[in-house]
Amino acid sequence: MTDWISGTFTSDVGWEHLERLVDIGDRMAGGAGEREGLTVTRDALDRLGARNAHIDDFEIQGWTRSSSGVDTPDESVDTTALPRSPAGTATGRLVDCGDGLPDDFDADLDGAVVVVSSTVPDHYDRFIHRREKYYRALEAGAAAFIFRNHTPGCLAPTGSVGTDDSPLGPIPAVGIGKEAGIRLCRRHAGDEVTVRVDCATPEATSGVVRADIGPDTDRAVYLTSHVDAHDIAEGAVDNAAGTATVLEVVRALRARDAPLDRRVRVVCFGAEEVGLRGSKREADLVDPDTVQAVVNCDGVCRGRTLQFYTHGFDALAAAVNDVADRFGHPVSVRPTPHPHSDHWPFVVRGVPGLLVSSEGDERGRGWGHTRADTLDKLERRTLREGAILLAPLVAALAGADRIDRRSPDAIAADLERGSLAEGMRVTGDWPFGSGGSF
């Protein structure tokens, strides 16, 4: 009964796929690298014996990087443009808005070039997403946005702006390394500076990989990840590791002696990094009642302890804790909502959804969304251990009775309690009532 465990401890299926994805390099949504990543993932699922492995294409607003920078009275500073920033230039006085907390924008920012940190203080009650800071700067009248990394190493961060209704953000946006950003603000706060972004915005095609394992039941557990990554790095943690883990879980599930009680649908999304385009489309296409639960792998392998956001679904938390107890392995279970990955378009429809990530050494993305998101940060054993926990979890969810749904009112109340609702309204991501994205 444990042969599948020893097999997973020695399997290289997931790790070899991880290497294959990072060796592609640029997997930006809608680009040739993302297409190659989708194709090799489809082919890998087919080799593992999954049924009907295929790619379903869809159109997106493309975005292709050229050059960007900040020009001051006496120097030019290289930056990394944020995807979905518009091309163009904007000139204004440089204003350091610190951590980018809501109160930090209560200043005269009309026509300003605003600089904010990529993190928030440890004592603050919630993490503030990049896009919320961008749109708060816009509402305050800023002409341009500079996103300063809080992690040392001269690493300019990336991450998209824009909304579903307006995929290209309204003001130029760039990322800058911690050290360069501190120097820029020290020397030029109050000076007139120019932010410039050169990029192309062609129409493009992304896709979703789908395949099935287990019996052909009407309801399915969705095992998901995203294949795309930002173009400035290999995207090893975010999210080649998630897709590699999905493949290792598929291998383990097929190797287990006990058959699955319900179909497991494997879905590897494109265009996650530009507004969850793949998963939003997928959630629109399926009947929520046909989805037993979503197990979304995004940010796994960063640390050895898996972290599960359960979104208030008690049955999911119980299933995670049961597997952890059976294997005597620590996990971190968080009942709070996490509205920033591919499980979310399903969760807001009441579908039970898990975000599976891992505990890191610090708050925030760490190496993620920088050119340092590379394979050398990861370990083979971590991927294998994660798959050993996730395979029985997916099997348990497949064998469970129908898991109770949650109402939109209950999910909205969780967002309000977690102080997330205000920021989601600022970015146009509030999923309930007018102005929502879903």
Side-chain angles (χ1 to χ4, degrees):
M1 292 293 291
T2 59
D3 286 349
W4 72 270
I5 298 178
S6 60
T8 306
F9 262 125
T10 57
S11 171
D12 283 323
V13 164
W15 189 262
E16 288 178 355
H17 195 69
L18 173 57
E19 290 182 332
R20 181 71 184 87
L21 289 176
V22 300
D23 286 345
I24 292 171
D26 174 0
R27 301 194 308 281
M28 189 69 184
E34 184 198 50
R35 175 58 45 173
E36 184 177 352
L38 294 169
T39 300
V40 299
T41 300
R42 176 201 63 193
D43 295 347
L45 286 166
D46 187 64
R47 287 193 299 272
L48 287 171
R51 301 189 305 276
N52 191 30
H54 66 282
I55 301 172
D56 181 18
D57 291 342
F58 59 93
E59 301 305 307
I60 64 168
Q61 172 67 67
W63 189 91
T64 304
R65 179 186 310 285
S66 183
S67 62
S68 66
V70 179
D71 299 326
T72 75
D74 58 9
E75 64 179 333
S76 292
V77 182
D78 288 336
T79 63
T80 296
L82 302 188
R84 303 205 293 183
S85 167
T89 62
T91 299
R93 55 195 174 77
L94 187 71
V95 178
D96 184 357
C97 285
D99 293 312
L101 306 182
D103 289 347
D104 291 333
F105 298 98
D106 292 340
D108 178 14
L109 299 179
D110 191 37
V113 172
V114 165
V115 184
V116 300
S117 170
S118 60
T119 192
V120 298
D122 289 339
H123 61 78
Y124 198 66
D125 62 355
R126 67 181 177 95
F127 187 78
I128 301 181
H129 195 269
R130 168 193 65 256
R131 290 178 61 249
E132 180 181 342
K133 296 181 182 186
Y134 176 80
Y135 282 100
R136 286 191 183 278
L138 175 68
E139 284 189 350
F145 179 81
I146 301 176
F147 194 50
R148 181 183 62 220
N149 204 349
H150 70 285
T151 301
C154 300
L155 297 168
T158 190
S160 70
V161 294
T163 66
D164 289 352
D165 293 335
S166 300
L168 296 179
I171 60 175
V174 299
I176 194 170
K178 177 180 180 178
E179 297 81 358
I182 291 173
R183 181 173 185 271
L184 179 69
C185 291
R186 177 178 62 82
R187 296 192 63 200
H188 298 291
D191 291 345
E192 190 170 90
V193 302
T194 297
V195 174
R196 48 185 169 77
V197 173
D198 187 11
C199 62
T201 56
E203 294 300 310
T205 302
S206 185
V208 168
V209 178
R210 299 194 198 96
D212 290 327
I213 61 173
D216 191 17
T217 55
D218 290 338
R219 194 181 309 141
V221 174
Y222 276 50
L223 176 61
T224 71
S225 66
H226 71 88
V227 174
D228 63 306
H230 285 292
D231 56 324
I232 63 172
E234 300 173 356
V237 173
D238 190 10
N239 186 41
T243 298
T245 297
V246 164
L247 291 184
E248 197 62 72
V249 171
V250 169
R251 189 214 62 80
L253 288 170
R254 288 184 51 77
R256 293 172 76 251
D257 292 334
L260 290 164
D261 295 313
R262 186 174 279 115
R263 178 166 55 103
V264 173
R265 167 148 288 187
V266 183
V267 188
C268 298
F269 300 108
E272 189 269 355
E273 298 287 8
V274 290
L276 314 182
R277 298 310 308 157
S279 54
K280 286 177 179 177
R281 176 176 179 270
E282 192 76 7
D284 281 341
L285 289 174
V286 302
D287 179 351
D289 286 335
T290 66
V291 184
Q292 169 80 342
V294 176
V295 180
N296 179 42
C297 298
D298 190 355
V300 296
C301 297
R302 190 169 71 148
R304 294 182 71 182
T305 300
L306 288 180
Q307 181 172 261
F308 296 85
Y309 284 86
T310 62
H311 303 93
F313 291 96
D314 293 338
L316 297 183
V320 170
N321 286 320
D322 179 67
V323 169
D325 290 344
R326 282 194 282 134
F327 283 79
H329 203 287
V331 297
S332 174
V333 178
R334 297 173 178 261
T336 51
H338 191 293
H340 299 302
S341 188
D342 287 317
H343 58 283
W344 187 245
F346 296 89
V347 170
V348 297
R349 289 167 169 81
V351 175
L354 284 170
L355 170 60
V356 188
S357 59
S358 55
E359 290 189 337
D361 295 332
E362 62 177 20
R363 191 175 189 179
R365 297 182 186 276
W367 303 116
H369 284 204
T370 76
R371 67 175 185 272
D373 184 4
T374 50
L375 183 64
D376 57 281
K377 311 299 190 304
L378 304 178
E379 291 186 326
R380 198 180 304 245
R381 69 174 180 177
T382 306
L383 192 154
R384 290 167 170 169
E385 288 176 0
I388 287 170
L389 290 180
L390 289 174
L393 174 62
V394 171
L397 294 175
D401 293 335
R402 185 181 187 275
I403 301 171
D404 289 341
R405 271 47 181 161
R406 300 193 70 209
S407 70
D409 286 346
I411 295 169
D414 286 348
L415 293 168
E416 296 281 6
R417 280 191 295 271
S419 302
L420 296 170
E422 181 186 0
M424 295 178 74
R425 292 186 178 102
V426 169
T427 59
D429 293 326
W430 182 246
F432 311 107
S434 61
S437 298
F438 299 102

